[in-house]
């Protein structure tokens, strides 16, 4: 079987997902086109030889509807002959785009593909595709889960309670995310992955100067009277400070085989070593990255100690903390440049954004193997291991 290698990966700075955010005035298709254009310019390839563009996007409604991957590539000036599709695996959508691209290349279906992602949460708000009163589950699902599926914030509270986490633990983790992201920004660690934009030069959501005292003044944001009755064990300790930020961004990654890369004179930065997906209890919503990690490690033949860098979804502080407890990973190797709590979580773009940051972190630290795992709506997860190519 052929291999699948990463030639290059780029992303936009991450803007705040609100009307005052720096990227709000950019149409989401144009936002994705920015990353596609930058990727072509950096690699120097002729876009005509790209077999497919696979884009992740979660809220495929309004400006993000009608296969935004295809719209964006045409806006970026790609030839009419280049195909595209848009996929939704919730927060792992663009990580799934990487999996689809890599696996199809390994199987011989493509020679060159672009995996990418976009979400403009300021222009197409999360949840706008499910208006109030919409039945998204159906009667059979409702019969199986008669108590219903709680909001993801309640899922985060369930995780915090199950793993007996304290408010201080959540707040300390969140503060660390901002500190690491600030250090990475000021040191120039993100420079190689960021594209140049007049609207925004660095990630907009990073905050400095926070303390446990200031974090302690934040009120819990997900308290729900019905959930409190149904789950009396909840401590209600998740705040806006320990939750990821809604955001706007895009990213793009060029994937091919090592043989094709050498033939075209393209650099090879890493190879896709192993990939897996897994499901877990949809009531907890956010824990599937734990079995997905175990699954990808088993598939790879590696152990957790072989991994030199991790990018783990920071949807809420309890998610990576529970993951660390169950996997035994070294927390100092997790999200070394901060995560979604500080940088933001542009859901359709987050999967490939994490992989882009993971790749650059591995190169900077000399880590041979890196592992990424995302928690995703519906209680599922993608996990991927990439390996540096020296």
């Amino acid at each position: 079987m052929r291999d699948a290698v990463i030639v290059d990966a780029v992303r936009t700075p991450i803007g705040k997902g609100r009307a005052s955010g720096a990227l709000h005035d950019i149409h989401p298709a144009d936002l994705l086109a920015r990353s596609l254009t930058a990727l072509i310019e950096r690699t120097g390839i002729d876009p005509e030889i790209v077999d497919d563009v696979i884009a992740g996007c979660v809220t495929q409604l309004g400006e993000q509807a009608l296969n935004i991957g295809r719209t964006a590539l045409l806006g970026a000036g790609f030839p009419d002959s280049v195909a595209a599709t848009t996929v939704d695996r919730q927060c792992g959508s663009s990580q799934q785009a990487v999996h689809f691209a890599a696996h199809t290349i390994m199987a011989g279906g493509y020679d060159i593909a672009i995996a990418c992602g976009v979400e403009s949460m300021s222009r197409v708000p999360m949840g706008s595709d499910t208006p109030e009163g919409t039945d998204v589950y159906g009667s059979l699902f409702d019969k199986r889960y008669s108590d219903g599926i709680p909001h993801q914030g309640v899922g985060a509270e369930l995780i915090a309670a199950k793993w007996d986490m304290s408010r201080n633990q959540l707040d300390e983790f969140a503060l660390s995310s901002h500190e690491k992201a600030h250090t990475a920004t000021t040191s120039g660690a993100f420079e190689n992955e960021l594209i140049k934009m007049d609207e925004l030069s660095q990630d907009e959501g990073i905050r400095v100067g926070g303390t446990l005292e200031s974090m302690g003044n934040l009120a819990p944001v997900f308290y729900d009277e019905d959930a409190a009755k149904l789950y009396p064990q909840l401590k209600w300790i998740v705040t806006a400070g320990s939750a990821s930020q809604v955001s706007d961004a895009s990213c793009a990654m060029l994937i091919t085989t090592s043989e094709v890369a050498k033939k075209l004179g393209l650099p090879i930065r890493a190879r896709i070593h192993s990939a897996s997906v897994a499901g877990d209890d949809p009531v907890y919503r956010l824990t599937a990255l734990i079995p997905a990690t175990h699954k990808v490690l088993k598939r790879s033949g590696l152990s957790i100690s072989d991994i030199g860098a991790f990018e783990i979804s920071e949807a809420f502080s309890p998610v990576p903390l529970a993951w660390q407890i169950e996997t035994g990973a070294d927390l100092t190797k997790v999200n070394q440049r901060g995560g979604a709590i500080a940088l933001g979580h542009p859901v359709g773009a987050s999967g490939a954004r994490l992989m882009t940051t993971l790749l650059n972190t591995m190169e900077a630290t000399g880590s041979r193997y890196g592992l990424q795992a995302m928690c995703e709506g519906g209680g599922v997860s993608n996990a991927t291991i990439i390996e540096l190519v020296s």
Side-chain angles (χ1 to χ4, degrees):
M1 182 180 288
R2 307 192 309 174
D3 61 1
V5 300
I6 300 170
V7 171
D8 207 355
V10 298
R11 68 176 180 92
T12 68
I14 302 171
K16 294 179 180 179
R18 59 184 70 162
S20 60
L23 304 183
H24 169 73
D25 290 338
I26 305 175
H27 189 287
D30 295 339
L31 188 59
L32 179 53
R34 301 278 191 103
S35 286
L36 293 173
T37 299
L39 185 67
I40 294 299
E41 290 176 348
R42 279 183 39 151
T43 59
I45 69 161
D46 181 351
E48 190 171 12
I49 66 175
V50 175
D51 290 301
D52 204 0
V53 173
I54 306 172
C57 184
V58 174
T59 308
Q60 296 179 35
L61 177 81
E63 292 179 343
Q64 295 183 163
L66 298 178
N67 190 4
I68 192 172
R70 171 69 172 172
T71 307
L73 75 83
L74 293 174
F78 282 49
D80 295 349
S81 58
V82 181
T85 191
T86 305
V87 300
D88 171 15
R89 200 191 282 274
Q90 298 292 280
C91 299
S93 295
S94 54
Q95 186 177 358
Q96 183 62 55
V98 173
H99 285 200
F100 281 153
H103 290 158
T104 308
I105 285 169
M106 290 175 184
Y110 301 151
D111 287 327
I112 300 174
I114 293 175
C116 57
V118 66
E119 204 80 31
S120 179
M121 301 176 80
S122 67
R123 296 175 70 104
V124 187
M126 185 169 59
S128 57
D129 54 345
T130 53
E132 187 175 351
T134 302
D135 178 6
V136 296
Y137 294 120
S139 60
L140 296 177
F141 184 99
D142 290 343
K143 183 178 180 180
R144 179 171 179 176
Y145 299 98
S146 57
D147 287 333
I149 301 297
H151 181 277
Q152 61 179 348
V154 176
E157 293 283 0
L158 283 165
I159 293 169
K162 180 176 179 178
W163 277 272
D164 194 25
M165 297 174 194
S166 69
R167 169 70 182 265
N168 266 10
Q169 281 180 281
L170 306 193
D171 290 350
E172 285 174 350
F173 185 88
L175 286 171
S176 174
S177 182
H178 284 279
E179 290 167 4
K180 290 184 290 186
H182 175 66
T183 298
T185 299
T186 55
S187 69
F190 289 130
E191 280 188 17
N192 190 50
E193 63 194 66
L194 289 176
I195 70 174
K196 304 296 183 184
M197 299 184 72
D198 292 335
E199 296 87 351
L200 185 62
S201 61
Q202 63 185 44
D203 301 308
E204 192 176 19
I206 303 168
R207 296 186 295 272
V208 295
T211 64
L212 278 177
E213 182 180 5
S214 63
M215 291 285 282
N217 292 328
L218 298 175
V221 288
F222 299 113
Y223 177 80
D224 177 270
E225 188 174 348
D226 292 334
K229 293 177 182 177
L230 191 59
Y231 308 110
Q233 74 271 31
L234 300 188
K235 296 179 281 188
W236 304 107
I237 55 175
V238 179
T239 70
S242 53
S244 58
Q245 303 176 48
V246 295
S247 308
D248 301 341
S250 73
C251 55
M253 178 178 293
L254 184 66
I255 303 173
T256 185
T257 71
S258 55
E259 183 180 358
V260 172
K262 290 172 184 175
K263 180 180 177 181
L264 296 176
L266 296 170
I268 300 173
R269 296 179 64 185
R271 74 180 181 101
I272 309 296
H273 186 284
S274 304
S276 71
V277 292
D280 205 9
D281 188 345
V283 173
Y284 278 76
R285 297 182 70 105
L286 308 167
T287 56
L289 73 178
I290 296 169
T293 295
H294 292 313
K295 189 174 181 180
V296 78
L297 286 170
K298 182 178 181 181
R299 180 164 291 166
S300 70
L302 300 170
S303 68
I304 199 76
S305 61
D306 292 319
I307 309 299
F310 300 91
E311 285 290 327
I312 304 301
S313 176
E314 279 185 11
F316 305 91
S317 289
V319 174
L321 289 173
W323 172 89
Q324 187 276 329
I325 292 169
E326 293 299 317
T327 63
D330 182 347
L331 199 57
T332 65
K333 297 179 180 179
V334 176
N335 303 352
Q336 296 174 57
R337 298 179 176 180
I341 289 172
L343 298 169
H345 187 10
V347 287
S350 286
R353 196 288 295 170
L354 264 68
M355 194 170 294
T356 299
T357 301
L358 176 62
L359 174 60
N360 284 275
T361 301
M362 291 168 63
E363 290 172 336
T365 58
S367 301
R368 180 177 177 182
Y369 298 108
L371 186 151
Q372 172 189 342
M374 297 285 295
C375 58
E376 302 155 3
V380 294
S381 173
N382 285 71
T384 317
I385 293 174
I386 62 174
E387 179 183 10
L388 288 187
V389 176
S390 56

